[in-house]
Amino acid sequence: MAIFSRFVPDSLSSGPVRSRLRDRLTEAGGLGLWSLALCFAIALWSYDPRDPSANTSSAQPPANLLGRPGAYIADFMLQNFGIVDVLAIFCLLAWGWRLIRHHGLTSALLRFIALVCGLPVIAADIAAVPLLLPALHAPLWPTQAGPGGAVGLSVAHMSIQAATVFVGRGGPLVVWLLGLVLGGLLLLLALALSLSEWRGIGRGIRVLLRQPMVLAIWLRRVTGDRAQARDMPNTVPYPDMSQRVRPTASPASGVRHDTAEASPFQTPLADTGSRVMQADPDVSTGQPSMPGTGIMPVTDPKTAVAAVPKSMPAPVKKPETVVRPAALGSRKADGGKPAQVSLQTSWMHPPGMDEEITQPLLTGGSTPASDRLPWHEETEGQEAAPIIPSLPDDLPAAAKEPARPNLLSRFFSGTNRAAEEPATGGPDYAPATPVAPTEDAYTPPPQPEWQFPPLSLLKPPPSAEATKPTEELLHANATQLVTVLSEYGVQGEIVAYHAGPVVTLYELQPAPGIRAARVIGLADDVARSLSVLSVRIATVPGRNVIGIEVPNTRRETVYFSELLMDPQWAHSRARLNLALGKDIAGESVYSDLAAMPHLLIAGTTGSGKSVGVNSMILSLLYRLSPEQCRLILIDPKILELSIYEGIPHLMTPVVTEPAKAVAALKWAVREMDRRYRAMAHLQVRNIASYNERVAEARARGEIVTRRVQTGYDPETGKPTFEEQQLALDSLPYLVIVVDEMADLMIVAGKEIEALLQRLAQKARAAGIHLILATQRPSVDVITGTIKANFPTRISFQVISKFDSRTILGEQGAEQLLGRGDMLFMQAGGRITRVHGPFVDDNEVEAVVAFLRTQGEPIYDDDVISPQEEDSSGKPFAAPAGGGEEDGLFAQAVEVVAREGKASTSFIQRHLSIGYNRAAKIIEQMEKEGLVSEANHVGRREVLMRRPTEDE
Ligand SMILES: Nc1ncnc2c1ncn2[C@@H]1O[C@H](COP(=O)(O)OP(=O)(O)OP(=O)(O)O)[C@@H](O)[C@H]1O
């Protein structure tokens, strides 16, 4: 290699010496590359996510075979590139091979660049597989980013998003195939192998592939020989098995005892010590221990103790205790769980949240029944969790800690960290939700033809970073807080502190006689003393402490995708579940709009209101098909919600004119009344029961009719009735989102107020829900009437205490940090601080593009057309509804004129239309003077001329 000749001194420049030296240096270079590849391989093989690294802070000595540097290197490689690191190792081996064989490494720089460019491409292709085919995910992969690593995942997400937006639904697959070709070519270029070397590799692979067959033939021959030997007595005597002691377990008693049973094929063992115990089945489960993982299933203290090397001190025998690992995602606060962090952690089950829940809207296909319970009911599932006897407390730490399995054994043996956790003697609750998210859980089957947007359209959360304040800082802040408060005459002590993603909560226990209001009033002074932007101080409901929320120096962003990956989201039975964000403890917060039943949002400009509204709309789009939920988006600001234009969920194009918005609200009131009537006919009390009843009737082929009075018999004077068939269409939920309410209030304050009041009071049962947002939480916008009818409210950061009081009834929202930081007040007044998720426009665009590919919206022109009374002035105006309605009206006129009869039921029968439309048509005829008013017996005269035979 030319590179090495530079290092050769001139004195050694004589031909043969120089050439030999160059050869040796080249070989050394090749060996160096091989050594590097070996180091990488060892570091990766013995990777353990618990080792100290740039992502994990741990006081434990690293388990990596290459120590701390190995742990750091392996973590960096796996976190960023995943399994693709193996290709880099192959490249190093190939380069080394060429150098050692003196084949040279031409264009070394080009090969290196090809490798550097090829790795992210291949990593992205690997990361994209589970995004495109959720069934092919790798839940046991030890890093959060998955087998493609963080780099691969980011590139995959960006490419899929771009491909969906620019190409459409098939785009991601095309990009994936292109990536595969490009990655393959770059890898070929990087490997730098000649054709003959590739042939050699091919031959090697063929030989390797033949090995299993060769082995099988050899084994058959050997076992055949043994069988022959067994058939021939006294040829080769087996050791006397009756002398061999093999401990086994009695499944019933769980007690170990010795037995003389042994398989004649069992390998004779030199002693029956710990090796025998490792090879034995687990006494409690009957399952074998996990060979290769190094994890010994601990069954009872005696077994565990026996497994401990003899040099360790013998433990004191203790009665066996039993711990149950909590169900994943459980929030039940129990003795083992540290104090809850939220000021409002008592919010576990908001009133009315689960009323009327009949079946989950969203369940994963293979989710066990217990998993489908809503999160606040998961305690039952917990009961069913397997019982694992705990280790005695005084067992040496080394015996308690399970051996750390290496990367591949962990991946293939079906064990993961979550499964190992209970054995480490950690807290007996599952702290987070380490279950790898599966997109299966997000695609419920009610509308098989409808595809829910994949999670890959959203930005993934970055890999975990240590952003929380250190223990020392928290302690120092707590001490400083006590000092600052005592300077203002408030005595007390900080009894606990909890760091969350955005703020840290310090719990102050005030001295007797200190009023909470006095401490709350010191918020600004405390913020100044701690040199932070703002501090929120509030009482903790149900506890004798005052919560002081201090912003963290580094703030974590909550990603929308995180909230949808949380199993709570998939398991929730809420029908209109909204992903609101994370509470100050970092727990995901969701709330059911159906239970709220309407939501009022306020916040100053730039506080994160629009992003919040977007995340709410996306929550609905990720769970409900257009047949389950329709939207009316009212956006007087024009730009905020127009991004959703054209999605099939829309009832009408995004409404931007205040006059049309008023019409839409009026339509919503009419629709509410219509739904009430439909529910009354089926004798049900809410939309969920109505849809169930309709589904049942449809399934049974039932015809549901109602009896309506059509008039009076002219002879007897008695009322006449007829049976009318009811249309069995299920009703979708209807969510009306108003992005800036103040604009509407300016145009038609009183009218809007009255409409909102009517909707707010009655619309819940009819499945109509409102989300109203405003920048101006002043009393002229959020009037007393609106406040009284919207008990569920969210306040993002506001400018003043007064605004905070207007929206929440108490101060505190002015001390929020902006950018999605909010106070969520549920019906009943309990307030929770929530950090809203961040959704950027690209994500929304990608989801919208995906939904648009599935169909056009079916708009209802009635929604924004003026009401009947408005159009009544027009002479001979046909009923609103466009061409089809006009045609119907003309047909009806013709039938009435021909038959000389005019009644709603008559038109219904002849035109096969519903009662409402027929009634509208007959009213229209009356207005146009074609038929008379109904007389005292409900009959109408036909005023138009009958067509003659000739006509
Ligand atoms: N949850 C969040 N996390 C991080 N940043 C956020 C979050 N929400 C909003 N932001 C940031 O705050 C900026 C303003 O947000 P947004 O546009 O939603 O405010 P707004 O209250 O709707 O303002 P306006 O009323 O003027 O439209 C965004 O551009 C974004 O950068």
Side-chain angles (χ1 to χ4, degrees):
M1 281 268 312
I3 297 171
F4 294 105
S5 59
R6 290 202 208 126
F7 301 104
V8 181
D10 289 342
S11 56
L12 296 172
S13 56
S14 75
V17 177
R18 185 184 157 86
S19 142
R20 267 206 302 281
L21 191 64
R22 199 176 50 204
D23 286 353
R24 295 297 83 77
L25 273 174
T26 310
E27 283 159 14
L31 286 175
L33 288 175
W34 275 11
S35 312
L36 195 64
L38 187 67
C39 288
F40 284 157
I42 293 173
L44 288 175
W45 176 265
S46 53
Y47 169 75
D48 188 309
R50 289 167 293 185
D51 279 351
S53 68
N55 286 305
T56 314
S57 113
S58 165
Q60 283 189 39
N64 198 292
L65 292 177
L66 298 188
R68 194 173 275 266
Y72 269 78
I73 291 170
D75 185 73
F76 173 80
M77 290 171 74
L78 274 175
Q79 293 279 6
N80 290 302
F81 295 100
I83 202 162
V84 176
D85 297 316
V86 175
L87 296 180
I89 293 175
F90 279 136
C91 269
L92 290 178
L93 289 175
W95 294 347
W97 173 246
R98 285 190 66 89
L99 292 184
I100 288 169
R101 298 187 66 209
H102 304 288
H103 287 180
L105 197 57
T106 47
S107 320
L109 186 64
L110 179 71
R111 313 250 175 229
F112 181 72
I113 291 172
L115 179 65
V116 171
C117 298
L119 286 188
V121 177
I122 300 170
D125 254 20
I126 291 173
V129 171
L131 301 179
L132 298 174
L133 295 171
L136 292 181
H137 68 288
L140 302 177
W141 188 257
T143 62
Q144 201 187 7
V151 172
L153 198 60
S154 304
V155 177
H157 272 284
M158 280 189 301
S159 319
I160 290 176
Q161 266 184 15
T164 311
V165 172
F166 294 115
V167 185
R169 275 176 75 179
L173 186 64
V174 175
V175 171
W176 188 84
L177 288 172
L178 285 177
L180 200 65
V181 173
L182 179 67
L185 289 176
L186 286 169
L187 188 68
L188 281 181
L189 184 62
L191 278 169
L193 293 174
S194 67
L195 203 60
S196 61
E197 281 164 333
W198 277 114
R199 279 205 202 103
I201 290 174
R203 274 196 300 278
I205 291 174
R206 270 204 300 281
V207 170
L208 274 180
L209 288 178
R210 256 186 253 127
Q211 292 317 302
M213 217 168 22
V214 173
L215 193 71
I217 293 166
W218 179 79
L219 274 178
R220 206 181 307 147
R221 205 176 295 149
V222 170
T223 47
D225 290 350
R226 282 211 188 157
Q228 267 182 2
R230 239 195 345 269
D231 293 343
M232 287 188 284
N234 302 329
T235 44
V236 186
Y238 275 98
D240 183 1
M241 289 312 199
S242 61
Q243 300 300 315
R244 199 166 302 287
V245 180
R246 181 174 173 269
T248 59
S250 154
S253 62
V255 177
R256 279 172 98 75
H257 60 84
D258 293 341
T259 173
E261 275 181 46
S263 158
F265 295 104
Q266 185 178 357
T267 315
L269 298 166
D271 65 81
T272 55
S274 60
R275 282 172 58 201
V276 174
M277 288 173 58
Q278 282 182 7
D280 259 0
D282 182 321
V283 290
S284 66
T285 62
Q287 297 299 315
S289 62
M290 289 163 272
T293 61
I295 297 175
M296 190 183 73
V298 179
T299 53
D300 82 30
K302 275 186 260 167
T303 328
V305 172
V308 177
K310 288 205 172 78
S311 58
M312 291 185 179
V316 181
K317 201 173 169 186
K318 270 201 162 191
E320 188 177 89
T321 54
V322 174
V323 292
R324 294 166 192 271
L328 287 176
S330 168
R331 279 185 168 200
K332 186 183 175 190
D334 55 32
K337 190 168 179 179
Q340 272 289 346
V341 185
S342 168
L343 279 179
Q344 282 78 27
T345 43
S346 48
W347 175 59
M348 298 293 288
H349 194 150
M353 180 139 171
D354 290 327
E355 286 170 33
E356 306 157 16
I357 288 173
T358 49
Q359 61 172 52
L361 282 171
L362 193 74
T363 50
S366 58
T367 318
S370 61
D371 281 358
R372 281 188 228 122
L373 289 169
W375 57 268
H376 51 270
E377 287 172 17
E378 277 181 9
T379 45
E380 291 301 310
Q382 229 169 310
E383 293 299 316
I387 297 171
I388 301 172
S390 70
L391 287 169
D393 291 344
D394 47 4
L395 205 63
K400 283 187 183 179
E401 166 128 358
R404 290 168 169 209
N406 63 32
L407 170 65
L408 293 187
S409 62
R410 213 173 19 245
F411 187 56
F412 290 113
S413 67
T415 59
N416 62 8
R417 234 178 133 158
E420 292 165 29
E421 223 52 80
T424 61
D428 60 348
Y429 67 96
T433 46
V435 179
T438 66
E439 287 183 32
D440 296 1
Y442 294 87
T443 51
Q447 312 294 331
E449 69 279 9
W450 180 257
Q451 282 192 2
F452 289 90
L455 283 182
S456 55
L457 301 177
L458 302 175
K459 235 185 225 164
S463 53
E465 276 180 69
T467 54
K468 291 193 181 152
T470 58
E471 189 63 26
E472 294 78 43
L473 185 69
L474 293 175
H475 191 74
N477 276 353
T479 318
Q480 199 182 348
L481 262 179
V482 174
T483 319
V484 169
L485 289 170
S486 64
E487 280 167 13
Y488 291 98
V490 172
Q491 310 302 329
E493 56 174 329
I494 300 291
V495 289
Y497 45 78
H498 313 277
V502 178
V503 294
T504 299
L505 171 74
Y506 296 88
E507 289 180 7
L508 174 78
Q509 174 115 53
I514 303 278
R515 291 180 57 235
R518 190 162 149 214
V519 188
I520 291 170
L522 292 174
D524 289 342
D525 300 299
V526 173
R528 189 175 41 78
S529 308
L530 294 180
S531 311
V532 291
L533 212 61
S534 69
V535 165
R536 177 173 172 261
I537 304 182
T539 51
V540 181
R543 295 189 53 206
N544 181 26
V545 290
I546 294 173
I548 304 175
E549 293 163 3
V550 181
N552 293 340
T553 328
R554 267 187 75 188
R555 175 183 173 154
E556 280 176 33
T557 300
V558 177
Y559 285 82
F560 186 60
S561 55
E562 282 178 75
L563 300 176
L564 301 199
M565 285 173 185
D566 195 318
Q568 280 181 47
W569 171 258
H571 297 165
S572 167
R573 294 180 181 194
R575 287 182 298 271
L576 299 178
N577 213 15
L578 303 182
L580 294 182
K582 289 189 172 183
D583 66 15
I584 57 174
E587 297 283 342
S588 307
V589 178
Y590 308 95
S591 194
D592 187 4
L593 180 65
M596 284 181 190
H598 310 286
L599 178 62
L600 185 61
I601 302 171
T604 182
T605 177
S607 58
K609 228 172 354 29
S610 300
V611 173
V613 169
N614 274 331
S615 66
M616 287 174 201
I617 296 175
L618 287 188
S619 302
L620 298 174
L621 298 180
Y622 261 91
R623 272 178 90 98
L624 299 153
S625 67
E627 290 196 14
Q628 293 168 319
C629 177
R630 304 295 296 276
L631 298 173
I632 296 179
L633 303 181
I634 299 176
D635 177 21
K637 290 200 284 186
I638 298 175
L639 292 177
E640 300 290 353
L641 299 179
S642 50
I643 197 165
Y644 294 99
E645 204 69 85
I647 58 168
H649 291 75
L650 291 185
M651 283 295 291
T652 182
V654 175
V655 182
T656 49
E657 294 163 39
K660 285 190 176 168
V662 175
L665 289 177
K666 284 183 182 169
W667 176 87
V669 173
R670 293 202 301 277
E671 173 67 10
M672 178 181 75
D673 292 339
R674 189 184 73 79
R675 287 181 174 208
Y676 262 87
R677 282 198 299 276
M679 289 191 289
H681 292 141
L682 287 192
Q683 293 171 350
V684 291
R685 290 176 55 194
N686 56 51
I687 182 176
S689 314
Y690 177 88
N691 285 343
E692 255 178 44
R693 176 84 180 80
V694 161
E696 272 170 26
R698 269 206 306 249
R700 288 203 295 258
E702 213 176 292
I703 293 172
V704 183
T705 56
R706 65 172 177 170
R707 198 160 179 249
V708 286
Q709 186 183 348
T710 49
Y712 294 89
D713 192 319
E715 281 151 29
T716 61
K718 286 187 181 163
T720 53
F721 294 95
E722 79 176 25
E723 294 290 318
Q724 288 182 351
Q725 191 177 333
L726 292 181
L728 291 179
D729 295 329
S730 45
L731 296 173
Y733 284 94
L734 179 65
V735 178
I736 304 172
V737 183
V738 182
D739 195 23
E740 186 45 77
M741 216 175 91
D743 294 1
L744 299 189
M745 294 300 276
I746 291 166
V747 176
K750 283 288 159 215
E751 201 175 4
I752 295 276
E753 204 177 339
L755 289 170
L756 292 180
Q757 187 178 7
R758 276 198 74 189
L759 283 172
Q761 283 168 350
K762 275 177 71 188
R764 175 192 177 159
I768 301 177
H769 302 276
L770 295 161
I771 299 177
L772 305 182
T774 182
Q775 260 182 25
R776 276 181 43 207
S778 52
V779 283
D780 55 330
V781 177
I782 302 179
T783 61
T785 311
I786 290 179
K787 268 174 88 171
N789 288 292
F790 285 77
T792 309
R793 297 176 218 150
I794 283 178
S795 178
F796 288 88
Q797 189 182 33
V798 291
I799 291 179
S800 68
K801 279 180 198 174
F802 305 106
D803 285 350
S804 176
R805 287 214 188 93
T806 310
I807 175 93
L808 297 176
E810 63 177 66
Q811 64 185 61
E814 76 284 359
Q815 282 150 349
L816 294 173
L817 301 171
R819 292 170 60 215
D821 199 13
M822 62 174 115
L823 292 178
F824 172 45
M825 185 174 101
Q826 295 145 85
R830 199 171 293 154
I831 293 179
T832 312
R833 185 167 186 176
V834 178
H835 311 302
F838 182 64
V839 200
D840 71 19
D841 285 352
N842 293 339
E843 290 173 90
V844 181
E845 268 167 24
V847 174
V848 165
F850 181 87
L851 294 178
R852 275 193 203 132
T853 58
Q854 297 200 51
E856 297 280 316
I858 302 167
Y859 292 137
D860 185 338
D861 294 337
D862 272 359
V863 176
I864 47 169
S865 61
Q867 273 189 302
E868 252 168 45
E869 60 261 27
D870 303 339
S871 61
S872 59
K874 291 181 204 162
F876 303 106
E884 195 197 344
E885 295 290 317
D886 290 349
L888 271 179
F889 183 73
Q891 277 182 42
V893 170
E894 196 187 316
V895 169
V896 168
R898 193 175 60 230
E899 302 292 326
K901 282 186 194 166
S903 76
T904 309
S905 56
F906 176 78
I907 291 177
Q908 248 187 298
R909 263 198 317 274
H910 276 80
L911 301 185
S912 307
I913 55 174
Y915 178 80
N916 286 349
R917 286 169 104 185
K920 265 188 186 177
I921 289 175
I922 205 92
E923 277 171 23
Q924 191 63 28
M925 285 187 188
E926 186 190 321
K927 276 180 207 156
E928 295 185 14
L930 304 176
V931 296
S932 71
E933 268 181 37
N935 63 15
H936 67 286
V937 290
R939 293 224 160 211
R940 294 172 189 273
E941 261 180 64
V942 179
L943 302 177
M944 59 190 141
R945 191 172 61 87
R946 282 188 197 203
T948 61
E949 289 291 311
D950 302 340
E951 284 169 307

